[in-house]
Amino acid sequence: MWRKLLPVREEVEHEIWWQVKAGNSSLWYDNWTKQGALFFTEGESAQEEELEVKEFIGNGSWKIEKLQEHISEEIISHIVKNIKPNIYALKDKPWWMGNSQGEFNVKSVFQLMRGKKVEMELRDNI
């Protein structure tokens, strides 16, 4: 089953939200802000260096100065307002945003991809 999903990985990967717990999510490549992977949303300011979210948390709060070195003020404002920097022993938890239950299933991927295909076909016919 998973092999069938590999070709559409890039199409559905943005539907996974990583809930910050231990902060082991990638700062740039995982969607931990619910705004999409920062590598894509930050544009040219995004760096390819591997950083984990936990590197930007200290003593239960965000390291604002360090965030400012890497991320735009708009995204920093969203992070500070919406994401509590709690560091737990548990790994960050992935949530599937393709359905309301937050649980991955093939049907939701199919619905997601079917919707995009119909949209693309309509666009091609115009």
Side-chain angles (χ1 to χ4, degrees):
M1 172 179 74
W2 288 106
R3 280 189 228 153
K4 292 179 182 181
L5 292 175
L6 287 177
V8 297
R9 178 181 175 180
E10 289 183 21
E11 297 287 330
V12 299
E13 194 168 35
H14 65 277
E15 293 292 331
I16 300 171
W17 164 59
W18 288 88
Q19 181 182 15
V20 176
K21 291 184 179 266
N24 58 311
S25 295
S26 168
L27 177 76
W28 296 115
Y29 300 107
D30 291 329
N31 179 12
W32 59 276
T33 65
K34 288 190 177 178
Q35 303 293 305
L38 294 180
F39 184 79
F40 300 107
T41 62
E42 287 292 278
E44 292 181 17
S45 65
Q47 302 168 0
E48 291 191 34
E49 96 185 273
E50 270 301 318
L51 298 169
E52 290 186 336
V53 174
K54 66 184 171 191
E55 296 174 48
F56 296 83
I57 300 170
N59 298 324
S61 63
W62 292 105
K63 296 179 181 177
I64 303 297
E65 298 81 25
K66 188 164 183 174
L67 286 169
Q68 290 171 333
E69 294 173 12
H70 298 277
I71 303 172
S72 68
E73 288 295 329
E74 182 181 348
I75 297 294
I76 292 171
S77 176
H78 169 78
I79 291 168
V80 170
K81 183 178 179 184
N82 298 297
I83 303 170
K84 295 189 184 342
N86 297 322
I87 297 296
Y88 299 100
L90 304 171
K91 289 186 175 184
D92 292 358
K93 180 174 173 129
W95 291 93
W96 175 247
M97 297 189 312
N99 62 34
S100 60
Q101 296 83 26
E103 303 270 334
F104 176 83
N105 61 49
V106 175
K107 180 181 177 181
S108 62
V109 173
F110 176 77
Q111 294 295 337
L112 180 70
M113 294 308 297
R114 187 175 97 185
K116 288 189 177 203
K117 184 177 180 183
V118 169
E119 188 178 298
M120 288 173 54
E121 288 174 359
L122 288 173
R123 198 175 331 129
D124 290 342
N125 291 329
I126 293 177

